[in-house]
Amino acid sequence: MQPQRERVKLSKDRNWWRVLPVLGALGLIGLMLVLTFMPSTLDEAHVEASAVALLGSATPSIQPSPTLIAAPFPAWQPEQSAPPIQVLPADPGEFRLATIEPAFTSVPTKDLHDAELLPTIVPVIQQPTTTIPAATLGLQTPTPLPTLTAQATPVGQTHSYAIIVRADTEQYQLVRVAATGFVPIATVDEYAASFMALLPEQQTLLLPRNQSLFAIDIKTGQPRWSMQLLPKNQYEHKAMLTIDQTGSGVYVLDQSSVDASWAWSHHTIQDAQLLAGPSSLTLPGHSHIMTSDGKIWGIEEDKLFQFDPITMAKRDVGALNKNEIVGDGTQPFLGVFRAPTTLSLIDWASGNEQQVALNPPFQGNLLSAMFSHNQQTLVVKSMISSDDPRVDDRYFSSVYNLRTGQLLGISEFDSLSSIYPGITADQWFISSFDWEREQRLVSRWNVATNSLTEVVPASVWGDHRIAWLGEIAGPAINLANSEYQAAVTPLPTMVPMYDQPNLPTIQPPSIQPVAIFGDRLGLDLRLQRLSSDQTLEVLVEEGARLFERYNQPPLVLQHPKLTTWQLLDPVSQQIVEWKFEKILNDESFIDSMLAPNYQSMVVVGQDMRSNDQFIGASQLLQINTQTGEWNVLADSRTWPELKWAKPLAWQGDSIYFLQTSKNPQPLWRVQLGPPFQAEKIAEIPAIVANIPDVSNAILARVYVAPNQRWLIYPLAAANKTMLLRVLDLVKQQSHDIALPLLPLAADALSFSPEGNSFAFMLPTADGSSAPALYQLEQQRWYQLDSGAYSESSESPFLWSPDGRWLLLDFGNIVREQRLGVYNAQQPSLVFSTKRDPLKKPVALYNDGKTLLAQHLWQPSLEQLSWDGQALQIDWRISEDVGLSEEIYYVYPR
């Protein structure tokens, strides 16, 4: 008989404690299951949503989320909240702090020997942003487009005009086009097509002559006023003018060919009374158009922007598919292509925007587009390319109704044809060249009937070229004063570099060495010393490797004999020499490394000694650079990964190696001993990101600070962001810097010579970049300038040898010839000054106010000093050092 089982009642039975072991076992099993199937905290970088938004990533998280590799050291624990980004002022003076709240984001990291996860601090990179008004982005009540009437204006009320380039004089001449020939009006400067206004109603002509703007009374032929323009040459002559909304004033925007600066002003047409300005501007971007409210529209980095020359405010107005702005600024709308075959019409006065889909789409690739005068129609020039070299490309002009987007007419022309709007929406002028008859043809294209009518017989045009052609309503323009038909002085021609006279030499006060230059001839490194008496002395003819030192001349590795090696100080000419028992080729020293105190060197070589215990194919050699003694530390038998390992940094008795044969790449910490120990402390992915909407894989780089204290490498995080992981090899700690996902060039981080900070073009929330300084130990960003800039293939940063001063060359990140010098220890702007576009800064002295500059066209080197107001030339010498050669050392002043 089975004993009866009793049900346990915890609330009444005195033996309830007997079930505790059973419950504990069940709970433990459940916990193990949860831990087994629960997603790891390392599976995704938990970056705060606010930080991601600030970095301008509106894209959803990549699926699957990237795995964040653990840090080899414990994360740095802050004692207080991190400081905000400090924005340096544009002028010397007190700092001004950006209103940014400090924020931290915990990112899981761990030591390989510690199961406990420790938080890593990710400084939030936050920048002030400009809010785009909703009127710009949203579709409000649209401004109605004019109705397409296509009614021809009576012939007596319209006249055709042209700017022709006369075949006999090469002068640009404004003429009225008559049925039998040309009626000369005035000879003008060659940029007149974009810098003139024919105003019959105001009885005024605005024309450029001899680099002056003239307002001419049509009735009397006398000048109302004239205004001197900024200097121009045949290659740089940008200028534009726009009649204001009242019709009684004119906005003038003029650029200098000397320093690329712009001048903006607003005048009355009648007597040139100054209404606003003049203002000196630095305009970003290209394709500028000035509207009748005086604002300037342009394109930068595939984005449309509006610039107010009075407030100096720049406002982004969205991305573009085609880098072109349609319109002349006096019409109610500007047109842009945000999609391949859809035109966006922007009412520049209100900010309203509406879309017009072109139906059917034009053929081929868009070349250009143009409105009719009344903006009832749009003509699109496009090209169909042929892959067959025997078949020519085809060019089309397609006319669309801007109210409906419907195609009205299409015509095929040759590649050199030009099209200009007539007075009505269905009339266009076509200028082409008949190659068989060798004559110019100018026709009126009637879109409604798709017919061409000859405007003037080809014999009248002759060999004259056409710079502009147009049709204007009103009485015929005839100037009683024929003096305006006199020839103008041609714009200056830039003298080729090889024809320019040499710059005069300015002798230095004494003869002294200036700098050591170096370049490679094949595998050999050659170093030359330039002195102020213009002599060049070869210091090293066949160097194998160069080791830079902080605030000292570099050391040069030489290989004078098969088994003999030398380390040379090119300034003191001191040499340390050592010999190997076997031949070691130069390639073995490519990845050699000098200790931070410069007293020892390691290199991975072959079996170099026959009477020791090391017989592995790859061996780690340590060389005493003071005595020349050397010994073998390890070989590939004791540490098999040595054959693929590359030394990165050296701190104390530890050397850090990167093994490049695997992905992810192991990071090794090697204790030199004795005993010798190799320990893998981290794994670094070889590819940061490879996602569908990134055209190329973003490859990882490991950056090493010059003092070998800091290792920095990128890791992918969520929402198209990444982290720069910073390893402090002295304190054995780590921290992370959050950035948007972007490829980093080899010189993206411009380290200070002492190695505790770096300069960087920091991505901002609006998609541009700002020059910034990051202090590694303080973990603090300093934004050096509040402007928005583009990145460049050439670094804009230049450090003084002691790392105290940082020069920022704005000419590398924007078309602005300006230099700024900053105190990098206590970040502040020391001075800012204009830069000669022909002089490239190549070195900054330790005093922070003296620099060396090379002339871009002539072999000369100048020393420039800041006197509190401007850079002054101390001396100029000729030198035969090419611009491709690098300066490795500047002798102290």
Side-chain angles (χ1 to χ4, degrees), residues 84-112:
I85 297 176
Q86 188 162 346
V87 184
L88 300 186
D91 297 312
E94 289 189 4
F95 295 147
R96 58 183 176 87
L97 290 177
T99 54
I100 304 172
E101 292 297 326
F104 289 94
T105 303
S106 295
V107 178
T109 69
K110 71 171 185 176
D111 188 271
L112 292 182

Side-chain angles (χ1 to χ4, degrees), residues 69 398 410 526 871:
I69 305 298
S398 307
I410 186 170
R526 183 182 65 171
L871 288 173

Side-chain angles (χ1 to χ4, degrees), residues 699-712:
L699 302 180
R701 298 180 185 272
V702 180
Y703 299 88
V704 184
N707 59 3
Q708 303 184 43
R709 174 179 174 177
W710 311 93
L711 292 184
I712 303 176

